[in-house]
Amino acid sequence: GELDAREPAAAGGSGLGRGRLLDVRAGSREGSLALPNGGRYVAALDNSHSLLRSKDVSFELRLLRKASVLAAERRGASARLETELDGRAQRAAELARHIAITEPKLAALRKQLGEVEATLQRARVDQRENER
């Protein structure tokens, strides 16, 4: 179903039909809905799409001070950033291990390239001398 929080008539809303929906179709959901205007709000649970099947519904409505909501949002943002930072640290460690494995191989390839270039240079010098 959906949770429909309609704006109160005192805030310029009709109290009917003009609301913001929180879609909660897929089981348990958490979310918040800002109620910027004073007045009466109505929370409606809609099960009209399933008239022949009853549902057991539980819900919790809490009225929080704006400071509490902002603090919770900051904690959530902080937790998301910490998770992202942990992921980046793990990726950096993986890259460091990859570099540690790859650098000796790269050094060996550079050495071989130098040897091939030196051989090629000697071959060019020999070819010029033979053409004279």
Side-chain angles (χ1 to χ4, degrees):
E2 298 172 338
L3 174 62
D4 182 357
R6 300 179 190 279
E7 295 226 11
S14 65
L16 299 172
R18 194 177 133 207
R20 297 197 311 181
L21 300 177
L22 294 177
D23 187 1
V24 290
R25 294 174 198 268
S28 178
R29 293 281 178 99
E30 289 186 23
S32 63
L33 180 63
L35 305 174
N37 301 314
R40 181 178 171 196
Y41 286 84
V42 175
L45 301 172
D46 182 4
N47 191 36
S48 61
H49 69 282
S50 182
L51 292 174
L52 300 177
R53 292 181 181 229
S54 65
K55 303 276 189 305
D56 290 328
V57 177
S58 65
F59 62 94
E60 177 182 355
L61 296 176
R62 290 185 289 158
L63 184 60
L64 303 173
R65 293 180 183 259
K66 189 172 186 173
S68 297
V69 172
L70 293 175
E73 288 173 352
R74 281 192 299 273
R75 284 191 302 273
S78 177
R80 284 188 299 277
L81 289 173
E82 287 178 15
T83 300
E84 183 178 339
L85 183 60
D86 288 344
R88 289 183 181 202
Q90 288 176 355
R91 179 68 178 139
E94 290 171 12
L95 289 172
R97 284 190 295 275
H98 182 69
I99 288 170
I101 291 168
T102 306
E103 279 187 334
K105 293 177 183 178
L106 181 59
L109 288 172
R110 284 185 176 144
K111 181 179 177 185
Q112 287 178 352
L113 178 61
E115 292 168 357
V116 168
E117 287 174 339
T119 301
L120 180 60
Q121 184 64 29
R122 283 192 301 272
R124 286 181 182 151
V125 168
D126 289 346
Q127 183 181 11
R128 280 191 218 118
E129 287 179 4
N130 289 333
E131 288 176 351
R132 288 185 196 165

